[in-house]
Amino acid sequence: MRPIRFATTALAVTALTAPLAAPPAVADGFHDRHWPPHHSNGKAERLRWAAPADFRIGTAVAGGGHHTEQDYPDPFTSDRKYRKVLARQFDSVSPENQMKWEYIHPEQGEYDFEMADRIVDFAWRHGQVVRGHTLLWHSQNPDWLEEGDFTEEELRAILRDHITTVVGRYKGRIQQWDVANEIFDGDGELRTEENIWLRELGPGIIADAFRWAHQADPHAELYLNDYNVEGVNAKSDAYYELSRELLADGVPLHGFSAQGHLSLDYPFPGSMEENLRRFDELGLGTAVTEVDVRMTLPESGEPTEEQLDTQADYYRQALQACLDVDSCDSFTIWGFNDKYSWVPVTFEGQGSATVMTDDYTRKPSFFALHEALKEEKKWPGWPGHGRGGHWR
């Protein structure tokens, strides 16, 4: 652990927007999977209409991050068609960047809730649940935090204040929170160098983060979340052991989620169902939270028919692995429109990772998801299906 340099300022909370209006009244028992209610006026080719009643199909809400540097305005606030498709197709939403530290906590003692509030309000108007993303992470932290000179006591107070303030603001309006995000490296070792919280406060801060989040909203489901943990491997093994330890210590851990950032350059993780099932058997909820399937594009910049068909099969397999596990009741794609995808900005020469083109034309992957959801809805108790009474 490197030395902690000293500097301190008051932890006064300054919200840059007015408090949220009170949410619509809901019955006690947030874990009722019908909360808030599904809309019943869905059309035949809407994903949320095709899904079983106890299953959430979601997407990230584009905004923040690389979007601030693109030659288009913020998608969520400026693109009316984007919002229309977002409302019609999905019954779960995840802020892509708008709840990350650098956006919601830009200065010490100051919070900017404007964009997060808009997303949460949008979700309530359209009968959607919200996944909060994320509370403890090594990336996208503000400079004041990463470059500040804080004692251990001050850092701990900063994190507790952040979790208490953010989770508390949305109490009763967030279904699931990614509390600890990407805390292990590919070898299954904790990121003790990259992650300021683990480096300065030690691994015990993970349990504290879950406890603080639970205190701020006792009904929200609290998750561990990471990429490259779809299958059984060293990294997912590390999460399995951590989950066992946290549960044994009485920590309010409720679920484990695999992000699902996949690539056609690599085989589909064939042990995905097996991996999710072992967390299910620990008594945890499971979810797939950030699915996209990128590909190396030809010189034309357009995917081939074969690539699109293979991509559709990857999406279908990921969804089916979730559907086939009893506790996996949430499947989220990381954006639905190629124009607003993070992939081309991050992976040079790659793209076409979502289920719709720039102009919202639906790809084979969209219909693969739709058909899998419809089949599950039609035969919820069929052997091999997770909804409505899985046969073990």
Side-chain angles (χ1 to χ4, degrees):
M1 179 181 294
R2 66 176 174 81
I4 306 294
R5 296 178 297 277
F6 182 84
T8 182
T9 58
L11 289 175
V13 175
T14 303
L16 301 186
T17 60
L20 251 60
V26 294
D28 290 338
F30 188 91
H31 295 274
D32 178 359
R33 293 177 181 174
H34 296 283
W35 179 95
H38 288 263
H39 282 178
S40 59
N41 59 345
K43 296 293 180 65
E45 289 186 352
R46 295 183 188 178
L47 295 173
R48 64 183 296 175
W49 179 87
D54 59 353
F55 192 84
R56 296 291 178 179
I57 182 74
T59 183
V61 179
H66 76 276
H67 298 290
T68 59
E69 301 173 357
Q70 301 305 301
D71 59 357
Y72 51 73
D74 176 79
F76 179 69
T77 58
S78 64
D79 189 334
R80 184 177 180 182
K81 185 167 185 178
Y82 177 89
R83 293 193 301 273
K84 184 177 180 180
V85 175
L86 176 66
R88 288 188 172 187
Q89 291 292 344
F90 305 98
D91 58 11
S92 175
V93 295
S94 302
E96 182 181 13
N97 291 288
Q98 300 93 331
M99 285 186 177
K100 292 174 181 174
W101 271 73
E102 65 180 345
Y103 293 99
I104 208 167
H105 201 163
E107 300 292 341
Q108 187 175 3
E110 293 184 358
Y111 291 85
D112 185 350
F113 294 109
E114 180 180 2
M115 287 305 299
D117 284 359
R118 288 189 184 188
I119 292 169
V120 173
D121 287 340
F122 179 93
W124 274 101
R125 290 197 304 272
H126 296 95
Q128 298 166 316
V129 297
V130 182
R131 294 196 81 257
H133 179 77
T134 176
L135 299 174
L136 187 155
W137 192 27
H138 68 276
S139 184
Q140 290 185 252
N141 288 324
D143 290 342
W144 70 262
L145 175 65
E146 291 286 350
E147 299 174 7
D149 297 332
F150 302 110
T151 65
E152 289 187 26
E153 183 180 356
E154 289 167 343
L155 267 181
R156 182 178 172 85
I158 287 169
L159 180 59
R160 183 170 189 168
D161 175 81
H162 179 93
I163 292 174
T164 301
T165 300
V166 176
V167 176
R169 182 178 182 84
Y170 301 107
K171 181 179 180 180
R173 306 188 79 177
I174 300 286
Q175 181 200 29
Q176 298 173 349
W177 274 104
D178 293 329
V179 176
N181 190 52
E182 300 175 5
I183 56 175
F184 287 106
D185 64 21
D187 295 324
E189 300 295 329
L190 285 172
R191 293 178 183 263
T192 52
E193 292 302 316
E194 297 170 278
N195 190 305
I196 184 174
W197 312 111
L198 297 177
R199 182 179 67 238
E200 308 298 352
L201 302 177
I205 197 64
I206 298 168
D208 289 335
F210 277 91
R211 292 188 179 104
W212 295 333
H214 186 63
Q215 289 168 4
D217 186 353
H219 294 301
E221 299 169 8
L222 308 180
Y223 272 68
L224 295 163
N225 187 61
D226 212 326
Y227 66 93
N228 287 351
V229 292
E230 291 73 31
V232 176
N233 55 33
K235 196 174 184 180
S236 62
D237 284 348
Y239 274 104
Y240 184 77
E241 292 307 315
L242 175 63
S243 297
R244 292 179 61 186
E245 292 171 11
L246 293 175
L247 291 172
D249 290 341
V251 175
L253 167 67
H254 305 128
F256 166 82
S257 53
Q259 293 179 8
H261 293 296
L262 305 177
S263 170
L264 297 190
D265 291 344
Y266 304 98
F268 183 86
S271 57
M272 187 170 179
E273 180 186 340
E274 175 189 352
N275 186 43
L276 293 174
R277 191 178 301 284
R278 63 175 174 165
F279 287 91
D280 171 41
E281 290 171 351
L282 285 180
L284 292 176
T286 56
V288 184
T289 55
E290 303 183 22
V291 183
D292 48 29
V293 183
R294 64 186 185 272
M295 61 188 72
T296 301
L297 296 170
E299 290 185 10
S300 66
E302 297 296 326
T304 66
E305 208 171 301
E306 181 181 4
Q307 284 179 311
L308 290 175
D309 287 343
T310 304
Q311 179 190 54
D313 188 56
Y314 275 41
Y315 269 102
R316 181 195 59 77
Q317 289 188 71
L319 174 57
Q320 196 61 56
C322 179
L323 289 170
D324 286 350
V325 175
D326 288 347
S327 67
C328 193
D329 59 4
S330 179
F331 185 90
T332 299
I333 59 178
W334 207 238
F336 56 88
N337 175 288
D338 284 342
K339 180 178 180 179
Y340 302 133
S341 171
W342 72 297
V343 168
V345 180
T346 308
F347 299 93
E348 185 177 355
Q350 299 193 336
S352 193
T354 75
V355 299
M356 297 183 189
T357 62
D358 287 10
D359 65 357
Y360 299 94
T361 299
R362 288 168 287 187
K363 301 179 191 176
S365 52
F366 173 92
F367 295 104
L369 293 180
H370 188 268
E371 288 305 309
L373 290 169
K374 271 206 318 184
E375 189 68 16
E376 185 69 25
K377 187 175 184 179
K378 183 179 180 182
W379 301 108
W382 198 255
H385 288 247
R387 311 275 73 77
H390 192 107
W391 289 17
R392 293 188 184 275

